[in-house]
């Protein structure tokens, strides 16, 4: 019989985990010992728990599977709360494995170190930001509880919480089963698919809008096939930027309402039917629209339910829905191609001169770089770096486009590198870099070599756009490039377009260490999208 620790590790692996991210502490030390000795899953330790959560989240996003964060009780687990809240908001199935006191300690009558209020406060906090929880305090029920919780993470694509009391690590238990996924009820699925096909068939200018669940459930290719078969154009939401990068023939761009390409905005706002697949109905995705949905002609599939017009089919997984739509349309005569607006044209051909840098120059330089060397997977923080990413070719992009928490970019890029073995490009502003940039010091140990572009305007520039009068948005110049060597990487500060182009080319050639390019941008110089996005959000707030 396996021990609980080995059963848990094997169970995580059988449910698709390929690595762990974590930071040890005494309540989780016995588990870390088993992690190291069994090597069932490799473990990447980082420096501060927020980064552990972000890295596990990004690994989950890139692999369309679960990501795992292992933390100690209290002082460790509470540090990962914000990252898990963000993963919940953006529907990323992060599995939190948290150490906890053993049974004897719980009954000792003493307050325990790392404890906040009661010994179960941690559980109560995580219950709020995860979709299922298990406390592994019973060897008989533990394997079944782990299986249920991991199935919930995969079925709902949301974080889950597993608490492992430290005296349970070596207890013998049965192996963790993999429970079969629960499929849609066939009659409900058939009725729903028929209704949607009929609704789309009546429309003359339908549009498919995709968001993150389409990647979470691994159905990007199926959605592209459906769009081709129906002759319907596809756009991503802001949050869904980076989706369907393999299907440029159907993808028209990213819908950003009043902040975006007017042709894409018109396409969506003039549509007479919308099929919203896996779309989070949030302010950053839709507040920039002047138009409200006409629900009579809208379909929304999210969180295992499908809304068609004014009624809802519960318990209907999106992957089953898309498969059913494909079945129903198989062999249909090819539809008449619709006249479509042009693709968004992303800037190319940077003039490598001595002019100071603007964010758009960074987008232009990266498009040129991708043309020469192929696209790179990206992770971005929130801030103007993410709005600038809207001017970069639609390559894979993990970013907090809805939750919009700072500090995601660097650890997410580390997570992408660790989980995929590919070399990512990290986009981050100086404000967010101050929060988690330090984590780059962990790259050397694991042989990771991301290319990091720090947009350094010595400001919280996005906040300045919201509220220009406030001086607290002025930060000092930390000279991040100079710090890179002591973190085991290479750093270079660039202030002109010529320097940027040269530094990028050298970074691509430099393997084995991280390359930090600190792009100095004058205060107040932002991407076009940022300014339009912020004014759109403000006017949406005023409309309410
Ligand atoms: C996210 O940012 O949450 C996404 O799922 C988008 C995405 C797109 C492509 C690769 C990874 C993540």
């Amino acid at each position: 019989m396996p021990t609980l620790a080995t059963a848990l590790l094997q169970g995580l692996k059988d449910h698709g985990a390929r690595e762990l991210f974590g930071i040890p502490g005494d309540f989780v030390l016995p588990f870390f010992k088993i992690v190291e000795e069994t090597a069932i899953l490799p473990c990447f330790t980082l420096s501060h728990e927020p980064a552990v959560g972000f890295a596990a989240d990004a690994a989950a996003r890139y692999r369309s599977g679960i990501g795992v964060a292992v933390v100690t009780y209290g002082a460790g687990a509470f540090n990962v709360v914000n990252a898990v809240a963000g993963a919940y908001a953006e529907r990323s199935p992060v599995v939190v494995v948290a150490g906890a006191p053993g049974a004897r300690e719980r009954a000792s009558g003493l307050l325990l170190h790392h404890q906040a209020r009661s010994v179960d406060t941690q559980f109560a906090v995580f219950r709020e930001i995860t979709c299922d929880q298990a406390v592994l305090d019973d060897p008989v029920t533990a394997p079944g509880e782990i299986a249920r919780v991991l199935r919930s993470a995969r079925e709902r694509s949301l974080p889950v919480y597993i608490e492992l009391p430290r005296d349970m690590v070596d207890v013998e238990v049965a192996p963790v089963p993999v429970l079969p996924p629960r499929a849609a009820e066939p009659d409900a699925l058939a009725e729903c698919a028929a209704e949607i096909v009929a609704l789309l068939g009546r429309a003359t200018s339908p549009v498919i809008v995709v968001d993150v669940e389409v990647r979470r459930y691994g159905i990007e290719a199926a959605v592209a096939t459906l769009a081709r078969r129906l002759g319907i154009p596809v756009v991503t939401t802001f949050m869904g930027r980076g989706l369907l990068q393999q299907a440029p023939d159907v993808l028209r761009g990213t819908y950003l309402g009043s902040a975006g390409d007017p042709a894409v905005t018109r396409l969506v706002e003039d549509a007479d039917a919308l099929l919203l697949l896996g779309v989070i109905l949030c302010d950053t995705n839709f507040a920039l629209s002047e138009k409200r949905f006409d629900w009579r002609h809208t379909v929304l599939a999210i969180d295992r339910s499908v809304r068609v017009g004014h009624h809802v089919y519960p318990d209907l997984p999106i992957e089953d829905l898309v498969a059913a739509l494909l079945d129903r349309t198989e062999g249909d005569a090819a539809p008449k191609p619709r006249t479509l607006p042009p693709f968004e044209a992303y800037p190319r051909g940077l003039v490598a001169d001595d002019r100071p840098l603007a964010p758009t120059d960074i987008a232009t330089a990266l498009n040129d770089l991708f043309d020469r060397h192929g696209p790179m997977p990206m992770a971005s923080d929130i801030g103007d770096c993410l709005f600038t990413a809207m001017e970069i070719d639609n390559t894979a992009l993990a970013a907090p486009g809805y939750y919009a928490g700072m500090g995601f970019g660097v650890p997410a890029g580390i997570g992408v590198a660790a989980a995929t073995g590919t070399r990512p490009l990290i986009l981050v502003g100086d404000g967010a870099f101050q929060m988690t940039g330090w984590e780059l010091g962990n790259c050397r140990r694991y042989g990771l070599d991301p290319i990091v572009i720090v947009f350094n305007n010595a400001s919280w520039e996005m906040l300045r756009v919201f509220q220009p009068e406030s001086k607290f948005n002025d930060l000092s110049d930390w000279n991040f490039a100079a710090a890179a060597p002591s973190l085991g990487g290479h750093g270079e500060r660039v202030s002109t377009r010529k320097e940027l182009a040269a530094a990028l080319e050298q970074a691509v050639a430099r393997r084995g260490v991280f390359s930090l390019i600190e792009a100095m941008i004058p205060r107040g110089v932002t991407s076009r999208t940022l300014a339009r996005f912020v004014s759109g959000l403000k006017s949406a707030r005023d409309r309410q």
Side-chain angles (χ1 to χ4, degrees), residues 12 14 45 50 88 99 120 148-149 187 302-303 318 347 434 477 525 541:
L12 288 165
D14 293 345
T45 64
Y88 193 102
D120 291 321
R148 186 199 71 238
V149 161
D187 288 343
I302 184 87
D303 199 12
I318 191 170
Q434 288 186 8
D477 173 4
V525 178
R541 192 179 57 196

Side-chain angles (χ1 to χ4, degrees), residues 57-64 90-92 211-216 220 238-245 280 377-378 380 386 394-401 408 416:
D57 177 347
R61 293 178 195 222
Y62 261 85
R63 267 214 317 270
S64 301
E90 297 182 348
R91 314 198 64 82
S92 180
D211 197 356
V212 290
E213 273 199 358
V214 159
R215 185 174 180 91
R216 305 283 186 265
E220 284 170 280
F238 179 54
M239 181 64 222
R241 176 69 175 197
L243 298 173
L244 263 66
Q245 77 272 11
I280 302 177
M378 300 194 291
S380 177
L386 182 54
N394 187 53
T395 55
L397 169 69
F408 178 86
V416 172

Side-chain angles (χ1 to χ4, degrees), residues 235 252-270 341-345 528-529 532:
V235 304
R252 312 312 297 184
T254 295
Y255 173 72
L256 290 168
S258 52
D261 179 329
V264 176
T265 301
R266 267 200 310 279
L267 183 72
V268 173
E269 296 186 358
D270 295 348
F343 290 114
E344 281 180 301
R528 275 173 311 153
T529 315
R532 288 189 287 177

Side-chain angles (χ1 to χ4, degrees), residues 80-320:
V80 89
V81 165
N82 176 57
V84 176
Y88 193 102
E90 297 182 348
R91 314 198 64 82
S92 180
V94 172
V95 180
V96 178
V97 177
R104 287 241 308 278
E105 300 167 272
R106 289 173 70 99
S108 73
L110 291 176
L111 289 171
L112 301 171
H113 66 283
H114 298 344
Q115 177 178 330
R117 192 169 122 197
S118 83
V119 79
D120 291 321
T121 300
Q122 169 172 304
F123 178 82
V125 166
F126 278 90
R127 193 170 43 205
E128 189 62 26
I129 51 168
T130 55
C131 74
D132 203 353
Q133 309 80 25
V135 178
L136 307 182
D137 54 5
D138 178 346
V140 177
T141 56
E145 296 244 330
I146 295 169
R148 186 199 71 238
V149 161
L150 295 180
R151 173 168 69 181
S152 299
R154 293 208 299 192
E155 276 186 347
R156 295 204 53 207
S157 193
L158 289 172
V160 294
Y161 174 76
I162 296 176
E163 187 169 302
L164 178 56
R166 64 170 152 186
D167 60 353
M168 292 292 294
V169 165
D170 295 321
V171 174
E172 289 193 346
V173 299
V176 172
V178 178
L179 303 175
R182 284 171 291 200
E185 207 278 304
D187 288 343
L189 179 62
E191 185 179 309
C192 179
E195 246 197 287
I196 294 171
V197 169
L199 186 144
L200 294 175
R202 287 192 298 272
T204 51
S205 53
V207 172
I208 296 176
V209 182
V210 292
D211 197 356
V212 290
E213 273 199 358
V214 159
R215 185 174 180 91
R216 305 283 186 265
Y217 294 103
I219 52 170
E220 284 170 280
V223 170
T225 305
L226 181 68
R228 265 178 222 120
R229 198 173 282 170
L230 297 171
I232 301 183
V234 183
V235 304
T236 82
T237 59
F238 179 54
M239 181 64 222
R241 176 69 175 197
L243 298 173
L244 263 66
Q245 77 272 11
Q246 320 283 30
D249 58 321
V250 294
L251 191 71
R252 312 312 297 184
T254 295
Y255 173 72
L256 290 168
S258 52
D261 179 329
V264 176
T265 301
R266 267 200 310 279
L267 183 72
V268 173
E269 296 186 358
D270 295 348
D272 61 356
L274 285 177
L275 177 55
L276 308 175
L277 292 176
V279 171
I280 302 177
L281 284 191
C282 58
D283 58 354
T284 58
N285 278 344
F286 291 106
L288 308 182
S289 163
E290 293 297 326
K291 233 180 111 181
R292 294 282 130 217
F293 294 110
D294 179 350
W295 279 105
R296 290 167 306 166
H297 309 293
T298 302
V299 177
L300 169 64
I302 184 87
D303 199 12
R304 279 176 81 85
S305 76
V306 185
R307 175 172 179 173
V308 186
H310 289 292
H311 55 278
V312 177
Y313 293 86
D315 246 320
L316 209 150
I318 191 170
E319 64 271 37
D320 292 357

